[in-house]
Amino acid sequence: QKFFIKSKVKVNSRTLKKFNLKDGTYIRYEKKGIGPTLILLHTFRNRLEYSDLLIPQLEKSFTVFTIDLPGFGESPINNKTEYDQSFFTNTIVEFIHELDLDKVTIAGESIGGVLPLTVAYQLPKKIKKIYCFNPYDYDGKFAEGIRRGNFFANFILFNVGIPILGRLFASLENRFILKNVLKGGFVDYSKLSTDYLNLLISSTKKKGYVYHFRNVLANFKTWNDCKEIYDSLTQPISLIYGESDWSSKKEREDSQKRLKLDSYITLKNCGHFSFLEKLLEVSKIILENR
């Protein structure tokens, strides 16, 4: 079976496209701007709109593609799919192949900050430049990084990770719970807008949401294991962390060392969600190093 492109669809008054996947689902994507190809990838629990504030800064210099990672946003869920790192990686690899993209720059955050590396490993001749923002490659247990955000996040994610009962706990997610978990990834809470929070909470009503939510986090080991390929990458790589990201100094230095980098960039007064919290700094890094 092959991946293929479907017709345009209207979602929230924007024209988006669907890219069909082997498991019978699809991912939404949007294309804007002119110039070399840039793919922006969002974090866990987010959606393609995560990059909306960045696009105006970048679309005059790049043709910008934003996508829902499989199962996120308005993209549907297959309860028989294993949502591990390789499934996400293969989705983007096929996306690049089928759209015949070349000399691609990829910038992503969190799990979206690991995927540029795993995709580049599979497509070394097609990937031109990599930007890894707050890469989420260090969990030693279910949702360990997210649980570092604050006491509330630790309590919620601990219970979500409990076998059997965790499904029930995850199904109780509401606007209050989501807001307070996400706040653990910000220094400036005002950067989490009401409109965007409402958009995120709408995804919880989707069929299969609880399965997807827990399955992605349960596959944490697949994101850690991919660090074994870091030292084989040859593309130019920029590694960026929010000063208050969930990762420890030791974990940051480990990724830096494995990627054979002399240093990494630190964004002051920034947490895990830099695309929202420090959009001007993020866009400047991408534009100055393209």
Side-chain angles (χ1 to χ4, degrees), residues 115-127:
L115 290 171
L117 303 167
T118 57
V119 171
Y121 181 72
Q122 291 198 35
L123 299 176
K125 295 182 179 179
K126 282 185 170 288
I127 307 304

Side-chain angles (χ1 to χ4, degrees), residues 4 9 15 21 57 65 78 88 99 117 140 172 189 194 278:
F4 57 97
V9 291
T15 301
L21 307 184
Q57 314 296 323
F65 288 87
N78 184 331
F88 286 88
L99 271 67
L117 303 167
L172 300 177
Y189 304 150
T194 299
K278 293 292 179 180

Side-chain angles (χ1 to χ4, degrees), residues 105-277:
T105 296
I106 312 182
E109 182 131 74
S110 190
I111 60 171
V114 177
L115 290 171
L117 303 167
T118 57
V119 171
Y121 181 72
Q122 291 198 35
L123 299 176
K125 295 182 179 179
K126 282 185 170 288
I127 307 304
K128 177 184 176 182
K129 173 71 182 178
I130 297 168
Y131 297 91
C132 303
F133 291 84
N134 294 317
Y136 197 80
D137 56 5
Y138 47 83
D139 271 1
K141 57 187 176 182
F142 187 94
E144 180 180 1
I146 302 172
R147 290 171 59 181
R148 295 174 183 175
N150 53 34
F151 176 83
F152 188 83
N154 186 37
F155 173 78
I156 294 296
L157 271 299
F158 170 80
N159 284 280
V160 169
I162 297 174
I164 304 176
L165 289 178
R167 289 184 57 84
L168 174 62
F169 207 89
S171 70
L172 300 177
E173 182 173 301
N174 56 30
R175 192 176 183 281
F176 173 81
I177 290 174
L178 178 60
K179 179 180 180 180
N180 284 281
V181 169
L182 290 179
K183 282 175 67 175
F186 287 87
V187 173
D188 181 357
Y189 304 150
S190 70
K191 299 301 183 180
L192 179 60
S193 72
T194 299
D195 287 345
Y196 187 61
L197 182 62
N198 290 337
L199 188 61
L200 291 180
I201 202 63
S202 68
S203 299
T204 65
K205 313 303 179 185
K206 186 170 58 175
K207 183 179 179 181
Y209 169 77
V210 171
Y211 168 79
H212 179 264
F213 179 47
R214 297 182 75 240
N215 188 259
V216 175
L217 290 174
N219 278 294
F220 65 86
K221 191 173 187 297
T222 66
W223 298 92
N224 299 350
D225 288 347
C226 68
K227 295 176 82 170
E228 298 302 319
I229 60 108
Y230 283 9
D231 65 357
S232 65
L233 299 171
T234 58
Q235 297 87 351
I237 299 169
S238 291
L239 181 62
I240 308 101
Y241 290 99
E243 185 177 33
S244 299
D245 178 55
W246 301 321
S247 57
S248 68
K249 185 173 185 289
K250 181 179 179 181
E251 289 160 348
R252 299 177 194 192
E253 291 176 346
D254 180 56
S255 291
Q256 174 196 328
K257 181 179 179 180
R258 289 172 180 264
L259 291 168
K260 298 180 292 187
L261 302 175
D262 294 332
S263 62
Y264 58 81
I265 299 169
T266 299
L267 298 174
K268 299 293 185 183
N269 300 313
C270 181
H272 188 68
F273 302 109
S274 69
F275 281 25
L276 297 177
E277 196 163 26

